[in-house]
Amino acid sequence: MHLRGSRRRLLTGAGTVGAGAIALLTLDACGGGGGEGAAAQTAPDAPDLTGLESAEDIWQALLDGNRRWADGAAVHPHTDEDLREELVEGQAPRAAVFTCVDSRVAPELVFDTGLGDLMVTRTAGNVFDPLVSESVSYGPAALEAPLLVVLGHQKCGAVTAAHEALLAEVEGAEPEDHGYALPETVNALRPAYEAAAGGPGDPVDAMIEANVLLTVEALKAHPNLAERVADGALTVVGAVYSLETGLVAEVS
Ligand SMILES: [Zn+2]
């Protein structure tokens, strides 16, 4: 069920908020009175993830938002003061997104969403370790978000640097000195490098996609998530964002 911009959420409880604990409060955006300027900021066709329960519907809403973003028609929903105040009582993000730190890949913008919609974790090259995976799994595990998106991106500097370093290692060459080092990130990307090596197409693009797919599989098996995946309560999707087109494409 899509909830339009004239509706707002009222969340009960703090911290862990199950779907059953969510009550919806309808406000009349056209009813006059104070505080309605905020509701007017949300266009009628803006995505409201609040009422969406299925991962499929949530993913489609995110792809719809991404299309608006790519078309230069983003509406930037859920940035109003009323919603900020309502969210003080609790949060129920509908999706978690795990992506890169790259400044050009801001998930709330890329998917044209707003406050309270997405729980986002970001690391260089969207690589993870036990510490990071606890953050990635928090939204789906503790807040019952039905969708987890692993989002790689075109022209990822971290993956490019890792590819260069690992290729130099294979060739026995001295890695180029860039004045910084990402040894942990390079090591974390080694499986993606090996998975993509020798394949067709651009090797860095292939490594970016391989990293996404390997991360999806690893997260599906994470102790916090495996049972929810098996029960069908959580869907983990892999995707890559194009800086050139602004579009997100699912990979599998
Ligand atoms: Zn990146």
Side-chain angles (χ1 to χ4, degrees), residues 99-102 104-105 123-126 152-159:
T99 191
C100 182
V101 294
D102 194 298
R104 301 165 293 182
V105 192
T123 65
N126 44 279
H153 71 97
Q154 182 191 34
K155 298 182 185 292
C156 180
V159 175

Side-chain angles (χ1 to χ4, degrees), residues 117-191:
D117 289 328
L118 304 176
M119 183 158 282
V120 177
T121 308
R122 303 176 68 170
T123 65
N126 44 279
V127 299
F128 74 101
D129 63 6
L131 176 64
V132 171
S133 68
E134 288 185 3
S135 292
V136 176
S137 65
Y138 183 77
L143 302 178
E144 301 181 4
L147 177 68
L148 168 57
V149 181
V150 178
L151 184 65
H153 71 97
Q154 182 191 34
K155 298 182 185 292
C156 180
V159 175
T160 302
H163 180 270
E164 181 185 293
L166 291 165
L167 184 63
E169 183 181 296
V170 168
E171 294 176 343
E174 195 66 31
E176 198 169 333
D177 183 3
H178 294 291
Y180 64 90
L182 303 170
E184 299 295 339
T185 303
V186 170
N187 271 333
L189 285 164
R190 188 181 297 272

